[in-house]
Amino acid sequence: CTSIIGQDANGKLYHGRNLDFGLFLGWNPKEHTWKVAELLKPLVVQQEWQRDGKTVYESVNYAGYVGVMTAVKKDKFTFSLDERFVMEGGYVGLLEWMLLGDHKQKWNAFITREVMEGAETYEAAKHMLSHTRLLAPVYFILGGAKPGQGTIITRWRDNFHTDDLSTKLSTSSSSSSSAWFLVETNYDQWVSPPFYDDRRTPAVHCLRAAGRANMSLPLLYNVLSTRPVLNKLTTYTSLMQVNSGEIGAWLRSCDDPCWPW
Amino acid sequence: VQKSPFVGCEVNAFPPNKSAAVPKYVINLNLAPQDRWTQLITDKRDQLRALVSDMRNLTRGLLGDWLFNVVINNLDHLTTTLPSPYREEVEGISKASGLLVSEVTLYNIFYEVFTF
């Protein structure tokens, strides 16, 4: 996955993401596609969650998944979730849940629903995402509605080991500041991504090349369409703008030559 | 597959093709959890069944027979431990799709555990 939050010169925030899924899950050597990724594409839908006839939030989901991976709550915050690969992964949490009866940890599917339905501010969402014990490690990418509100919350499974809360967008309007965007793929911010899966460097390069003056949803879409940010695992690209509540999603394919991940 | 995955920034991809836009559905939180997903899942029934069938096979291949059987044999029980309203939503998706409750649960845990 790749998630990007960008802030234009006026402090307006934009959030985009590619959802990549299905690595090592059935490579089709004839079509050059991943089987699970291809099966997921027809299930991508935009969902408008309503209560009492009013929109609570909108999300982009795989039909049948009850959690939330990409969403906007108008005038409040935008949200995306990226997988985090660590040794003590979600399978440990699941085994603890099933075999030890440890039900005090939250599934990401459930905490994301609770945040989208219950949190009324960026700060409240950030607190919930930062301090809840989780079944699986993950990156939460959260954007607010005011200049400077954007963070990558790097989560371990426990609720007292939350890293990188300090990663914020600058409130400065200086175009020279590198803090007018945040890019998260599937690696911790404080280490370089591995050479065999470096989507961060191309994304950062293309954002810097375009410049802050051009920050917009079209720029995010173009960056998210740049290989290998776009790759054979990418099922959809989504764009969000918090103040308008705008959200859109488009199915993706990556014609050869294209990196498998 | 090309040797170098990054060859330059894409500058003309926007706007996306309209035919690639995904359909929109309303999820009514006022409905009982079992009923919230009925319309969406009815429309996506065949696609969901195709994916879950594939996931079962892949999970067996990844975990091996022993661990797969441990997991799959516990999925019914696992569903009963899910908090409300998610347990009821999973049951509603099962009913609308014709999939077993355990299979819908497997689909929903896939993203959680895939990090291994």
Side-chain angles (χ1 to χ4, degrees), chain A residues 35-91:
Chain A
K35 196 171 182 185
V36 166
E38 294 305 304
L39 287 168
L40 278 168
K41 288 177 186 177
L43 291 168
V44 180
V45 292
Q46 189 172 328
Q47 294 176 181
E48 182 177 338
W49 301 72
Q50 292 185 352
R51 183 180 284 127
D52 301 328
K54 295 178 181 173
T55 302
V56 182
Y57 65 97
E58 292 195 57
S59 67
V60 179
N61 277 54
Y62 296 125
Y65 178 69
V66 300
V68 177
M69 295 180 192
T70 308
V72 58
K73 195 163 190 175
K74 187 175 183 294
D75 282 328
K76 295 186 171 69
F77 53 86
T78 53
F79 168 81
S80 61
L81 176 154
D82 288 357
E83 272 186 301
R84 183 166 183 242
F85 306 120
V86 295
M87 285 302 290
E88 191 182 331
Y91 70 100

Side-chain angles (χ1 to χ4, degrees), chain B residues 69-88:
Chain B
N69 286 331
V70 169
V71 171
I72 212 75
N73 290 335
N74 280 283
L75 283 178
D76 277 332
H77 171 67
L78 174 65
T79 309
T80 67
T81 67
L82 300 183
S84 184
Y86 311 110
R87 172 185 169 183
E88 293 86 347

